Amino acid sequence: MAYYIKLLKKEVVARDTMAFYWEKPEGFEFIAGQNGDFALIEPPETDEKGDLRTFSFVGAPFEENLVTATRMRNSAFKHVLKNLPIGTEVKMAAPHDDFKLHKTATTPAVFLIGGIGITPIRSIIADATHNHLPHKITLIYSNRTPSDAAFTDDLQEYAKTNQNFTFVPVFTDKTVEGRNGERGHIDSEMVKKYVTDIETPIYYLSGPPEMVKSMRNLLIEIGANEDNIRSEEFDGY
Ligand SMILES: Cc1cc2nc3c(=O)[nH]c(=O)nc-3n(C[C@H](O)[C@H](O)[C@H](O)COP(=O)(O)OP(=O)(O)OC[C@H]3O[C@@H](n4cnc5c(N)ncnc54)[C@H](O)[C@@H]3O)c2cc1C
């Protein structure tokens, strides 16, 4: 289904990372974790990569606006998006894909996420918290520094209100101070510290293909069942 929706607000949510708030079309329904294709209409500038990008919904279905977020890069699409006047319409085709939390609540969920891959995960965890879902959820969320990490305030809030949710921020820059979370790259020791029974959970990976690939390899190496790994690759990074 295609919709014409207006930009309501934009904000910086991390280094080189912006969130875009869109009006939610009447009757539009989606499942936390899904995404949409956003097409610019007659943009002032374009390049060979075209005027359409897929973005996951950052907001959960119960939240008022549709929100997307992206790392700002040099493509014509992102340049136009960054400077898009409030009130401009884009064409959105949505919802797409089936990247959503599993139904069996006794099976834990573990998310191994880097950088911008957090977008569908924030939606899934906001939704699980709002709906008091009983799933045990662990999020290991890696960024270089705290300034690169989007939505950490929300995630910390969910960790306070949702007893079933464990949030582990990871900073690859080992000089980052403070006692919370972990330092260094996500490795097998780090995963085993937070996931005691490796074979049981359903694992979720999302983000740039390289990150997804390396997390999948790591999980298989430490004994996760490949059938229990679900992933969403953000082509284009
Ligand atoms: C399911 C899904 C969910 C996603 N969710 C998000 C999200 O929440 N946030 C986010 O930031 N990104 C997301 N992405 C990725 C997003 O769609 C963009 O690809 C990404 O943001 C990079 O865009 P860019 O303009 O910076 O990069 P670019 O490299 O400039 O553009 C990437 C796009 O151009 C195409 N392309 C590259 N080179 C060429 C060429 N020479 N000719 C023609 N086409 C070319 C690629 O296939 C890709 O579609 C998602 C992708 C998928 C598939």
Side-chain angles (χ1 to χ4, degrees):
M1 192 79 181
Y3 305 88
Y4 289 86
I5 55 171
K6 285 194 175 110
L7 178 66
L8 300 177
K9 185 174 117 174
K10 42 189 173 176
E11 67 181 345
V12 173
V13 288
R15 196 195 321 265
D16 299 329
T17 310
M18 289 179 72
F20 298 84
Y21 291 67
W22 308 94
E23 80 187 343
K24 195 186 276 188
E26 189 91 357
F28 179 70
E29 286 183 7
F30 69 100
I31 299 169
Q34 285 187 304
N35 58 70
D37 291 336
F38 287 73
L40 300 171
I41 301 166
E42 297 180 18
E45 127 186 45
T46 187
D47 62 17
E48 76 282 0
K49 292 163 189 167
D51 302 331
L52 184 144
R53 296 289 186 279
T54 304
F55 293 123
S56 305
F57 299 125
V58 175
F62 75 90
E63 292 176 303
E64 189 184 343
N65 301 128
L66 279 180
V67 185
T68 57
T70 189
R71 294 285 200 221
M72 301 318 294
R73 299 281 169 92
N74 250 339
S75 58
F77 181 98
K78 295 222 171 143
H79 191 232
V80 173
L81 186 65
K82 183 178 178 182
N83 296 300
L84 206 63
I86 301 301
T88 306
E89 272 192 343
V90 298
K91 186 177 175 187
M92 176 187 76
H96 295 151
D97 286 350
D98 212 18
F99 190 66
K100 61 182 186 207
L101 189 64
H102 56 272
K103 285 221 157 69
T104 309
T106 47
T107 305
V110 174
F111 296 85
L112 301 185
I113 306 298
I116 195 64
I118 197 65
T119 49
I121 311 312
R122 186 220 170 265
S123 176
I124 290 172
I125 295 169
D127 187 68
T129 303
H130 177 76
N131 291 322
H132 305 288
L133 297 187
H135 300 62
K136 257 184 97 48
I137 297 175
T138 303
L139 167 63
I140 302 180
Y141 176 32
S142 170
N143 284 277
R144 198 165 68 78
T145 69
S147 314
D148 298 295
F151 310 117
T152 44
D153 288 352
D154 291 346
L155 295 164
Q156 261 148 9
E157 193 56 38
Y158 304 147
K160 272 192 215 145
T161 53
N162 181 349
Q163 301 295 312
N164 295 315
F165 172 48
T166 304
F167 176 39
V168 185
V170 178
F171 301 113
T172 54
D173 179 345
K174 292 186 180 170
T175 64
V176 170
E177 289 178 0
R179 291 160 59 106
N180 70 329
E182 299 286 341
R183 303 293 176 269
H185 286 90
I186 299 177
D187 60 13
S188 44
E189 289 318 305
M190 205 187 283
V191 177
K192 285 193 220 158
K193 180 171 166 188
Y194 295 97
V195 185
T196 41
D197 181 1
I198 293 290
E199 284 178 38
T200 308
I202 306 252
Y203 295 91
Y204 295 83
L205 315 172
S206 73
E210 279 309 306
M211 170 82 187
V212 169
K213 200 167 140 201
S214 72
M215 289 300 106
R216 177 183 293 276
N217 289 342
L218 185 155
L219 286 171
I220 292 167
E221 227 175 79
I222 59 175
N225 181 344
E226 205 172 351
D227 291 344
N228 293 342
I229 304 175
R230 301 182 184 180
S231 60
E232 181 103 292
E233 294 192 9
F234 288 8
D235 296 330
Y237 277 106

PDB file of all heavy atoms in Angstrom, residues 69-100:
ATOM      1  N   ALA A  69      15.041   6.685  11.222  1.00  0.00           N
ATOM      2  CA  ALA A  69      16.320   7.314  11.567  1.00  0.00           C
ATOM      3  C   ALA A  69      17.390   6.749  10.664  1.00  0.00           C
ATOM      4  O   ALA A  69      17.339   5.585  10.265  1.00  0.00           O
ATOM      5  CB  ALA A  69      16.667   7.049  13.028  1.00  0.00           C
ATOM      6  N   THR A  70      18.357   7.596  10.368  1.00  0.00           N
ATOM      7  CA  THR A  70      19.417   7.149   9.462  1.00  0.00           C
ATOM      8  C   THR A  70      20.732   7.850   9.739  1.00  0.00           C
ATOM      9  O   THR A  70      20.742   8.966  10.268  1.00  0.00           O
ATOM     10  CB  THR A  70      18.982   7.364   7.989  1.00  0.00           C
ATOM     11  OG1 THR A  70      19.932   6.748   7.136  1.00  0.00           O
ATOM     12  CG2 THR A  70      18.837   8.834   7.623  1.00  0.00           C
ATOM     13  N   ARG A  71      21.829   7.156   9.414  1.00  0.00           N
ATOM     14  CA  ARG A  71      23.138   7.790   9.440  1.00  0.00           C
ATOM     15  C   ARG A  71      23.194   8.691   8.213  1.00  0.00           C
ATOM     16  O   ARG A  71      22.877   8.243   7.097  1.00  0.00           O
ATOM     17  CB  ARG A  71      24.247   6.743   9.323  1.00  0.00           C
ATOM     18  CG  ARG A  71      24.373   5.791  10.496  1.00  0.00           C
ATOM     19  CD  ARG A  71      25.008   6.433  11.709  1.00  0.00           C
ATOM     20  NE  ARG A  71      25.533   5.424  12.629  1.00  0.00           N
ATOM     21  CZ  ARG A  71      25.428   5.476  13.943  1.00  0.00           C
ATOM     22  NH1 ARG A  71      24.767   6.463  14.536  1.00  0.00           N
ATOM     23  NH2 ARG A  71      25.982   4.551  14.696  1.00  0.00           N
ATOM     24  N   MET A  72      23.576   9.946   8.396  1.00  0.00           N
ATOM     25  CA  MET A  72      23.622  10.870   7.274  1.00  0.00           C
ATOM     26  C   MET A  72      24.898  10.630   6.472  1.00  0.00           C
ATOM     27  O   MET A  72      25.983  10.594   7.028  1.00  0.00           O
ATOM     28  CB  MET A  72      23.552  12.324   7.761  1.00  0.00           C
ATOM     29  CG  MET A  72      22.295  12.638   8.563  1.00  0.00           C
ATOM     30  SD  MET A  72      20.743  11.956   7.945  1.00  0.00           S
ATOM     31  CE  MET A  72      20.541  12.813   6.398  1.00  0.00           C
ATOM     32  N   ARG A  73      24.737  10.404   5.184  1.00  0.00           N
ATOM     33  CA  ARG A  73      25.883  10.178   4.294  1.00  0.00           C
ATOM     34  C   ARG A  73      25.806  11.164   3.153  1.00  0.00           C
ATOM     35  O   ARG A  73      24.932  12.019   3.116  1.00  0.00           O
ATOM     36  CB  ARG A  73      25.842   8.737   3.759  1.00  0.00           C
ATOM     37  CG  ARG A  73      25.919   7.680   4.837  1.00  0.00           C
ATOM     38  CD  ARG A  73      27.358   7.520   5.301  1.00  0.00           C
ATOM     39  NE  ARG A  73      27.433   6.712   6.505  1.00  0.00           N
ATOM     40  CZ  ARG A  73      27.610   5.403   6.502  1.00  0.00           C
ATOM     41  NH1 ARG A  73      27.744   4.756   5.383  1.00  0.00           N
ATOM     42  NH2 ARG A  73      27.671   4.747   7.647  1.00  0.00           N
ATOM     43  N   ASN A  74      26.682  10.971   2.169  1.00  0.00           N
ATOM     44  CA  ASN A  74      26.785  11.958   1.108  1.00  0.00           C
ATOM     45  C   ASN A  74      25.903  11.727  -0.113  1.00  0.00           C
ATOM     46  O   ASN A  74      26.013  12.438  -1.085  1.00  0.00           O
ATOM     47  CB  ASN A  74      28.245  12.060   0.675  1.00  0.00           C
ATOM     48  CG  ASN A  74      28.801  13.401   1.116  1.00  0.00           C
ATOM     49  OD1 ASN A  74      28.018  14.328   1.351  1.00  0.00           O
ATOM     50  ND2 ASN A  74      30.103  13.498   1.238  1.00  0.00           N
ATOM     51  N   SER A  75      25.007  10.718  -0.070  1.00  0.00           N
ATOM     52  CA  SER A  75      24.172  10.482  -1.248  1.00  0.00           C
ATOM     53  C   SER A  75      23.217  11.661  -1.456  1.00  0.00           C
ATOM     54  O   SER A  75      22.875  12.371  -0.508  1.00  0.00           O
ATOM     55  CB  SER A  75      23.379   9.185  -1.087  1.00  0.00           C
ATOM     56  OG  SER A  75      22.567   9.231   0.062  1.00  0.00           O
ATOM     57  N   ALA A  76      22.786  11.843  -2.692  1.00  0.00           N
ATOM     58  CA  ALA A  76      21.831  12.927  -2.990  1.00  0.00           C
ATOM     59  C   ALA A  76      20.572  12.727  -2.152  1.00  0.00           C
ATOM     60  O   ALA A  76      20.018  13.684  -1.602  1.00  0.00           O
ATOM     61  CB  ALA A  76      21.505  12.928  -4.479  1.00  0.00           C
ATOM     62  N   PHE A  77      20.121  11.459  -2.023  1.00  0.00           N
ATOM     63  CA  PHE A  77      18.902  11.179  -1.262  1.00  0.00           C
ATOM     64  C   PHE A  77      19.027  11.735   0.166  1.00  0.00           C
ATOM     65  O   PHE A  77      18.144  12.436   0.668  1.00  0.00           O
ATOM     66  CB  PHE A  77      18.656   9.662  -1.211  1.00  0.00           C
ATOM     67  CG  PHE A  77      17.407   9.281  -0.453  1.00  0.00           C
ATOM     68  CD1 PHE A  77      16.226   9.011  -1.136  1.00  0.00           C
ATOM     69  CD2 PHE A  77      17.397   9.229   0.947  1.00  0.00           C
ATOM     70  CE1 PHE A  77      15.065   8.678  -0.440  1.00  0.00           C
ATOM     71  CE2 PHE A  77      16.239   8.901   1.641  1.00  0.00           C
ATOM     72  CZ  PHE A  77      15.082   8.621   0.948  1.00  0.00           C
ATOM     73  N   LYS A  78      20.149  11.432   0.810  1.00  0.00           N
ATOM     74  CA  LYS A  78      20.283  11.852   2.222  1.00  0.00           C
ATOM     75  C   LYS A  78      20.492  13.356   2.344  1.00  0.00           C
ATOM     76  O   LYS A  78      20.052  13.970   3.318  1.00  0.00           O
ATOM     77  CB  LYS A  78      21.418  11.078   2.873  1.00  0.00           C
ATOM     78  CG  LYS A  78      21.074   9.592   2.940  1.00  0.00           C
ATOM     79  CD  LYS A  78      21.448   8.944   4.211  1.00  0.00           C
ATOM     80  CE  LYS A  78      20.878   7.541   4.261  1.00  0.00           C
ATOM     81  NZ  LYS A  78      21.783   6.610   4.913  1.00  0.00           N
ATOM     82  N   HIS A  79      21.137  13.928   1.348  1.00  0.00           N
ATOM     83  CA  HIS A  79      21.338  15.368   1.354  1.00  0.00           C
ATOM     84  C   HIS A  79      19.977  16.067   1.292  1.00  0.00           C
ATOM     85  O   HIS A  79      19.695  16.999   2.056  1.00  0.00           O
ATOM     86  CB  HIS A  79      22.228  15.757   0.173  1.00  0.00           C
ATOM     87  CG  HIS A  79      22.710  17.160   0.231  1.00  0.00           C
ATOM     88  ND1 HIS A  79      22.580  18.041  -0.801  1.00  0.00           N
ATOM     89  CD2 HIS A  79      23.281  17.854   1.246  1.00  0.00           C
ATOM     90  CE1 HIS A  79      23.052  19.221  -0.442  1.00  0.00           C
ATOM     91  NE2 HIS A  79      23.493  19.134   0.801  1.00  0.00           N
ATOM     92  N   VAL A  80      19.120  15.569   0.392  1.00  0.00           N
ATOM     93  CA  VAL A  80      17.775  16.157   0.252  1.00  0.00           C
ATOM     94  C   VAL A  80      16.965  15.908   1.528  1.00  0.00           C
ATOM     95  O   VAL A  80      16.300  16.801   2.056  1.00  0.00           O
ATOM     96  CB  VAL A  80      17.049  15.571  -0.981  1.00  0.00           C
ATOM     97  CG1 VAL A  80      15.592  16.042  -1.035  1.00  0.00           C
ATOM     98  CG2 VAL A  80      17.772  15.958  -2.264  1.00  0.00           C
ATOM     99  N   LEU A  81      17.067  14.686   2.049  1.00  0.00           N
ATOM    100  CA  LEU A  81      16.302  14.336   3.257  1.00  0.00           C
ATOM    101  C   LEU A  81      16.681  15.249   4.433  1.00  0.00           C
ATOM    102  O   LEU A  81      15.818  15.775   5.143  1.00  0.00           O
ATOM    103  CB  LEU A  81      16.583  12.870   3.619  1.00  0.00           C
ATOM    104  CG  LEU A  81      15.771  12.275   4.755  1.00  0.00           C
ATOM    105  CD1 LEU A  81      14.290  12.202   4.396  1.00  0.00           C
ATOM    106  CD2 LEU A  81      16.283  10.869   5.102  1.00  0.00           C
ATOM    107  N   LYS A  82      17.979  15.446   4.597  1.00  0.00           N
ATOM    108  CA  LYS A  82      18.461  16.287   5.699  1.00  0.00           C
ATOM    109  C   LYS A  82      17.883  17.694   5.633  1.00  0.00           C
ATOM    110  O   LYS A  82      17.568  18.303   6.652  1.00  0.00           O
ATOM    111  CB  LYS A  82      19.994  16.342   5.633  1.00  0.00           C
ATOM    112  CG  LYS A  82      20.631  17.114   6.751  1.00  0.00           C
ATOM    113  CD  LYS A  82      22.139  17.061   6.634  1.00  0.00           C
ATOM    114  CE  LYS A  82      22.762  17.876   7.749  1.00  0.00           C
ATOM    115  NZ  LYS A  82      24.216  17.886   7.643  1.00  0.00           N
ATOM    116  N   ASN A  83      17.744  18.201   4.405  1.00  0.00           N
ATOM    117  CA  ASN A  83      17.292  19.588   4.224  1.00  0.00           C
ATOM    118  C   ASN A  83      15.806  19.699   3.881  1.00  0.00           C
ATOM    119  O   ASN A  83      15.324  20.786   3.552  1.00  0.00           O
ATOM    120  CB  ASN A  83      18.124  20.244   3.109  1.00  0.00           C
ATOM    121  CG  ASN A  83      19.584  20.338   3.516  1.00  0.00           C
ATOM    122  OD1 ASN A  83      19.906  20.963   4.511  1.00  0.00           O
ATOM    123  ND2 ASN A  83      20.450  19.652   2.795  1.00  0.00           N
ATOM    124  N   LEU A  84      15.095  18.589   3.986  1.00  0.00           N
ATOM    125  CA  LEU A  84      13.677  18.576   3.588  1.00  0.00           C
ATOM    126  C   LEU A  84      12.863  19.539   4.467  1.00  0.00           C
ATOM    127  O   LEU A  84      12.878  19.409   5.703  1.00  0.00           O
ATOM    128  CB  LEU A  84      13.149  17.149   3.756  1.00  0.00           C
ATOM    129  CG  LEU A  84      11.973  16.704   2.883  1.00  0.00           C
ATOM    130  CD1 LEU A  84      12.363  16.727   1.404  1.00  0.00           C
ATOM    131  CD2 LEU A  84      11.560  15.283   3.278  1.00  0.00           C
ATOM    132  N   PRO A  85      12.164  20.501   3.863  1.00  0.00           N
ATOM    133  CA  PRO A  85      11.361  21.408   4.692  1.00  0.00           C
ATOM    134  C   PRO A  85      10.228  20.659   5.404  1.00  0.00           C
ATOM    135  O   PRO A  85       9.644  19.731   4.827  1.00  0.00           O
ATOM    136  CB  PRO A  85      10.788  22.407   3.675  1.00  0.00           C
ATOM    137  CG  PRO A  85      11.659  22.293   2.464  1.00  0.00           C
ATOM    138  CD  PRO A  85      12.132  20.861   2.437  1.00  0.00           C
ATOM    139  N   ILE A  86       9.970  21.067   6.642  1.00  0.00           N
ATOM    140  CA  ILE A  86       8.850  20.488   7.388  1.00  0.00           C
ATOM    141  C   ILE A  86       7.579  20.689   6.552  1.00  0.00           C
ATOM    142  O   ILE A  86       7.363  21.753   5.987  1.00  0.00           O
ATOM    143  CB  ILE A  86       8.697  21.197   8.765  1.00  0.00           C
ATOM    144  CG1 ILE A  86       9.987  21.046   9.594  1.00  0.00           C
ATOM    145  CG2 ILE A  86       7.486  20.689   9.533  1.00  0.00           C
ATOM    146  CD1 ILE A  86      10.416  19.637   9.891  1.00  0.00           C
ATOM    147  N   GLY A  87       6.746  19.644   6.487  1.00  0.00           N
ATOM    148  CA  GLY A  87       5.502  19.729   5.709  1.00  0.00           C
ATOM    149  C   GLY A  87       5.631  19.124   4.319  1.00  0.00           C
ATOM    150  O   GLY A  87       4.623  18.914   3.642  1.00  0.00           O
ATOM    151  N   THR A  88       6.888  18.815   3.897  1.00  0.00           N
ATOM    152  CA  THR A  88       7.071  18.208   2.566  1.00  0.00           C
ATOM    153  C   THR A  88       6.492  16.795   2.574  1.00  0.00           C
ATOM    154  O   THR A  88       6.639  16.049   3.539  1.00  0.00           O
ATOM    155  CB  THR A  88       8.580  18.123   2.219  1.00  0.00           C
ATOM    156  OG1 THR A  88       9.147  19.416   2.348  1.00  0.00           O
ATOM    157  CG2 THR A  88       8.785  17.595   0.809  1.00  0.00           C
ATOM    158  N   GLU A  89       5.857  16.433   1.438  1.00  0.00           N
ATOM    159  CA  GLU A  89       5.314  15.070   1.317  1.00  0.00           C
ATOM    160  C   GLU A  89       6.317  14.131   0.683  1.00  0.00           C
ATOM    161  O   GLU A  89       7.060  14.517  -0.228  1.00  0.00           O
ATOM    162  CB  GLU A  89       4.071  15.095   0.416  1.00  0.00           C
ATOM    163  CG  GLU A  89       2.800  15.379   1.165  1.00  0.00           C
ATOM    164  CD  GLU A  89       1.551  15.124   0.313  1.00  0.00           C
ATOM    165  OE1 GLU A  89       1.647  15.036  -0.920  1.00  0.00           O
ATOM    166  OE2 GLU A  89       0.476  15.018   0.929  1.00  0.00           O
ATOM    167  N   VAL A  90       6.352  12.899   1.162  1.00  0.00           N
ATOM    168  CA  VAL A  90       7.089  11.826   0.483  1.00  0.00           C
ATOM    169  C   VAL A  90       6.087  10.697   0.232  1.00  0.00           C
ATOM    170  O   VAL A  90       4.998  10.681   0.818  1.00  0.00           O
ATOM    171  CB  VAL A  90       8.280  11.302   1.328  1.00  0.00           C
ATOM    172  CG1 VAL A  90       9.292  12.391   1.588  1.00  0.00           C
ATOM    173  CG2 VAL A  90       7.795  10.667   2.634  1.00  0.00           C
ATOM    174  N   LYS A  91       6.487   9.770  -0.651  1.00  0.00           N
ATOM    175  CA  LYS A  91       5.613   8.627  -0.917  1.00  0.00           C
ATOM    176  C   LYS A  91       6.175   7.429  -0.162  1.00  0.00           C
ATOM    177  O   LYS A  91       7.343   7.060  -0.348  1.00  0.00           O
ATOM    178  CB  LYS A  91       5.588   8.354  -2.419  1.00  0.00           C
ATOM    179  CG  LYS A  91       4.606   7.277  -2.820  1.00  0.00           C
ATOM    180  CD  LYS A  91       4.592   7.136  -4.339  1.00  0.00           C
ATOM    181  CE  LYS A  91       3.707   5.972  -4.752  1.00  0.00           C
ATOM    182  NZ  LYS A  91       3.824   5.726  -6.191  1.00  0.00           N
ATOM    183  N   MET A  92       5.356   6.850   0.707  1.00  0.00           N
ATOM    184  CA  MET A  92       5.813   5.699   1.492  1.00  0.00           C
ATOM    185  C   MET A  92       5.023   4.443   1.088  1.00  0.00           C
ATOM    186  O   MET A  92       3.792   4.469   1.082  1.00  0.00           O
ATOM    187  CB  MET A  92       5.587   5.959   2.981  1.00  0.00           C
ATOM    188  CG  MET A  92       5.954   4.767   3.852  1.00  0.00           C
ATOM    189  SD  MET A  92       5.520   4.970   5.592  1.00  0.00           S
ATOM    190  CE  MET A  92       3.752   4.716   5.572  1.00  0.00           C
ATOM    191  N   ALA A  93       5.744   3.385   0.742  1.00  0.00           N
ATOM    192  CA  ALA A  93       5.098   2.088   0.493  1.00  0.00           C
ATOM    193  C   ALA A  93       5.418   1.203   1.697  1.00  0.00           C
ATOM    194  O   ALA A  93       6.588   0.966   2.009  1.00  0.00           O
ATOM    195  CB  ALA A  93       5.626   1.467  -0.787  1.00  0.00           C
ATOM    196  N   ALA A  94       4.383   0.743   2.383  1.00  0.00           N
ATOM    197  CA  ALA A  94       4.610   0.024   3.644  1.00  0.00           C
ATOM    198  C   ALA A  94       3.311  -0.636   4.093  1.00  0.00           C
ATOM    199  O   ALA A  94       2.244  -0.287   3.583  1.00  0.00           O
ATOM    200  CB  ALA A  94       5.081   1.011   4.710  1.00  0.00           C
ATOM    201  N   PRO A  95       3.359  -1.530   5.086  1.00  0.00           N
ATOM    202  CA  PRO A  95       4.560  -2.016   5.760  1.00  0.00           C
ATOM    203  C   PRO A  95       5.136  -3.226   5.038  1.00  0.00           C
ATOM    204  O   PRO A  95       4.415  -3.950   4.362  1.00  0.00           O
ATOM    205  CB  PRO A  95       4.028  -2.417   7.139  1.00  0.00           C
ATOM    206  CG  PRO A  95       2.621  -2.867   6.885  1.00  0.00           C
ATOM    207  CD  PRO A  95       2.133  -2.055   5.725  1.00  0.00           C
ATOM    208  N   HIS A  96       6.450  -3.423   5.218  1.00  0.00           N
ATOM    209  CA  HIS A  96       7.130  -4.541   4.587  1.00  0.00           C
ATOM    210  C   HIS A  96       7.867  -5.401   5.613  1.00  0.00           C
ATOM    211  O   HIS A  96       8.233  -4.920   6.672  1.00  0.00           O
ATOM    212  CB  HIS A  96       8.178  -4.032   3.582  1.00  0.00           C
ATOM    213  CG  HIS A  96       7.570  -3.312   2.417  1.00  0.00           C
ATOM    214  ND1 HIS A  96       8.219  -2.317   1.741  1.00  0.00           N
ATOM    215  CD2 HIS A  96       6.370  -3.456   1.800  1.00  0.00           C
ATOM    216  CE1 HIS A  96       7.459  -1.871   0.760  1.00  0.00           C
ATOM    217  NE2 HIS A  96       6.334  -2.532   0.782  1.00  0.00           N
ATOM    218  N   ASP A  97       8.085  -6.660   5.205  1.00  0.00           N
ATOM    219  CA  ASP A  97       8.940  -7.611   5.937  1.00  0.00           C
ATOM    220  C   ASP A  97       8.305  -8.171   7.205  1.00  0.00           C
ATOM    221  O   ASP A  97       7.262  -7.711   7.657  1.00  0.00           O
ATOM    222  CB  ASP A  97      10.315  -7.017   6.250  1.00  0.00           C
ATOM    223  CG  ASP A  97      11.180  -6.958   5.013  1.00  0.00           C
ATOM    224  OD1 ASP A  97      10.783  -7.530   3.996  1.00  0.00           O
ATOM    225  OD2 ASP A  97      12.249  -6.327   5.088  1.00  0.00           O
ATOM    226  N   ASP A  98       9.021  -9.145   7.718  1.00  0.00           N
ATOM    227  CA  ASP A  98       8.476  -9.925   8.810  1.00  0.00           C
ATOM    228  C   ASP A  98       9.482 -10.027   9.945  1.00  0.00           C
ATOM    229  O   ASP A  98       9.619 -11.055  10.564  1.00  0.00           O
ATOM    230  CB  ASP A  98       8.163 -11.327   8.259  1.00  0.00           C
ATOM    231  CG  ASP A  98       6.973 -11.928   8.969  1.00  0.00           C
ATOM    232  OD1 ASP A  98       6.232 -11.152   9.594  1.00  0.00           O
ATOM    233  OD2 ASP A  98       6.818 -13.153   8.906  1.00  0.00           O
ATOM    234  N   PHE A  99      10.232  -8.945  10.152  1.00  0.00           N
ATOM    235  CA  PHE A  99      11.262  -8.946  11.195  1.00  0.00           C
ATOM    236  C   PHE A  99      10.583  -8.530  12.494  1.00  0.00           C
ATOM    237  O   PHE A  99      10.456  -7.338  12.788  1.00  0.00           O
ATOM    238  CB  PHE A  99      12.356  -7.951  10.801  1.00  0.00           C
ATOM    239  CG  PHE A  99      13.591  -8.015  11.644  1.00  0.00           C
ATOM    240  CD1 PHE A  99      14.414  -9.134  11.622  1.00  0.00           C
ATOM    241  CD2 PHE A  99      13.963  -6.949  12.450  1.00  0.00           C
ATOM    242  CE1 PHE A  99      15.574  -9.189  12.378  1.00  0.00           C
ATOM    243  CE2 PHE A  99      15.120  -6.989  13.217  1.00  0.00           C
ATOM    244  CZ  PHE A  99      15.922  -8.110  13.175  1.00  0.00           C
ATOM    245  N   LYS A 100      10.086  -9.494  13.235  1.00  0.00           N
ATOM    246  CA  LYS A 100       9.298  -9.165  14.421  1.00  0.00           C
ATOM    247  C   LYS A 100       9.610 -10.156  15.540  1.00  0.00           C
ATOM    248  O   LYS A 100      10.156 -11.240  15.278  1.00  0.00           O
ATOM    249  CB  LYS A 100       7.818  -9.190  14.079  1.00  0.00           C
ATOM    250  CG  LYS A 100       7.358 -10.554  13.607  1.00  0.00           C
ATOM    251  CD  LYS A 100       5.891 -10.538  13.233  1.00  0.00           C
ATOM    252  CE  LYS A 100       5.462 -11.966  12.903  1.00  0.00           C
ATOM    253  NZ  LYS A 100       4.367 -12.069  11.978  1.00  0.00           N
TER     254      LYS A 100
END
